[in-house]
Amino acid sequence: MNHDELRDWSKRAADWGHAYHAGLRDRPVRAATTPGEIAAMLPPAPPEQAEAMETIFADFERIVPPGLTHWQHPRFFAYFPANAAPASMLAEQLANTIAAQGMLWQTSPALTEIEQVMMVWLREALGLGPGFTGTIHDSATTATLSAVLTMRERALDWKGIETGLSGQPPVRIYVSPEAHSSVDKAVRVAGIGQANLVRIPTDAHNAMKPGALAGAIAADRAAGFLPAGIVLVAGGTSIGAFDGIRDCLQVAQAEGLYTHVDAAWAGSAMICPEFRPLWDGVEGADSVVFNPHKWLGAQFDCAVQFLADPAPQVRTLGLRPVFLETLEHEEVVNFNEWTVPMGRRFRALKLWFLIRAYGLDGLRARIRDHVAWAEALCTDLAGIEGVEIVTGPSLSLFTFALTAGDAATEALLTRINEDGRVYLTQTRHDGRFVIRVQVGQFDCTREDVMTVAAVVRELLA
Ligand code: PLP
């Protein structure tokens, strides 16, 4: 394929994409294929000879859609959304077309400078204040890993990156049981070890107890451990829990610990001032991550990390071999020094297009609708006999179960997803198997949301 053919096929792909999105409501949300079914449709060996694009495209149309769970389906209420607002998709097409790699300022000044401006736009949009600067990662997992590595190195006075961890005291990181598994992954990858991730008990609101946090840190110091940092939850994956950030940060500051707030999902809601009390005190954190690719509408992937001071993270992750020096411009920011991977995509472009094409007001309106519709759905479900709301709405996330118990709830979830009109997933809360509902799909309507109750009512009748 050459660039002339690419132009023609891009138009064909755009037409295909338009029809795909227009027809999503008619498709079951979750893929119904069995494991191995899609792989079996592909030849086991690659072709030696070039194939016609007509054949390749026909195979794409035949093989791929049946194997898709449709994340952009308006009745996708599982996990958290991975939204792709049309304007952000357009930006992704352009970024793919340009195919620039933004590891250094000079490898494409537009990539670095638009990213810097987007960090300012988003910081202001979220009400974080001028103390923060930021960068874009592929995922919240990588941002959290970067923060955990920084906690470790700051506590070890950067000896870990020089001489390794052997001979150093065991580094300790503190989280609540509501923290995402990406924190577990971070301590494993960072060589801190799962055993040194300390789970602090929570109160009746599923928030970390600051007193217990202070007690655990003191006990660890007395036992010869090295407390390094705290990861706080602002909108947990399971039930949308929030730690009391202000109180926990007070403990962190008294103890000299580095702090990272995981607002991967709920951060987007903070463009609405009325939700900001949920993360009250966040401006005192060292690091905050949120995923515009979840609720805001930026096409996956796009995770923003705000940093009160980038210096400790850059000291931890940054390397500047001669081949990466920016010879005539030492003053510029080279974002590869802020992140784990060296190479970086032009992710800022989709933020620029997204924010401009819908305006902050348009994005706020969607989030407010989602929260209101989640509340309405929760009320509707609560009225169905045998259904119990287990955790009420935290923003647009709540959980429910059948009073008949775990087995009945699990069987209901299986039937809901086999039905296909909506897609829900599960979690465990207080030992119970519960069904999660989150409302956040960019194109969903109130009617789409209320379909969940209609399906449950029908299946329980
Ligand atoms: N943190 C929270 C609260 C999440 O809900 C998720 C994913 O859903 C993550 C972190 C990990 O996000 P990512 O897929 O960007 O690594």
Side-chain angles (χ1 to χ4, degrees), residues 14-31:
D15 287 341
W16 183 90
H18 184 266
Y20 169 72
H21 284 275
L24 274 179
R25 275 198 179 81
D26 301 327
R27 295 179 187 254
V29 189
R30 194 180 68 167

Side-chain angles (χ1 to χ4, degrees), residues 262-293:
D262 180 0
W265 161 64
S268 295
M270 302 310 167
I271 61 170
C272 306
E274 68 271 28
F275 299 134
R276 292 183 195 155
L278 287 168
W279 72 354
D280 175 54
V282 68
E283 63 285 348
D286 292 304
S287 165
V288 181
V289 65
F290 99 104
N291 280 353
H293 75 225

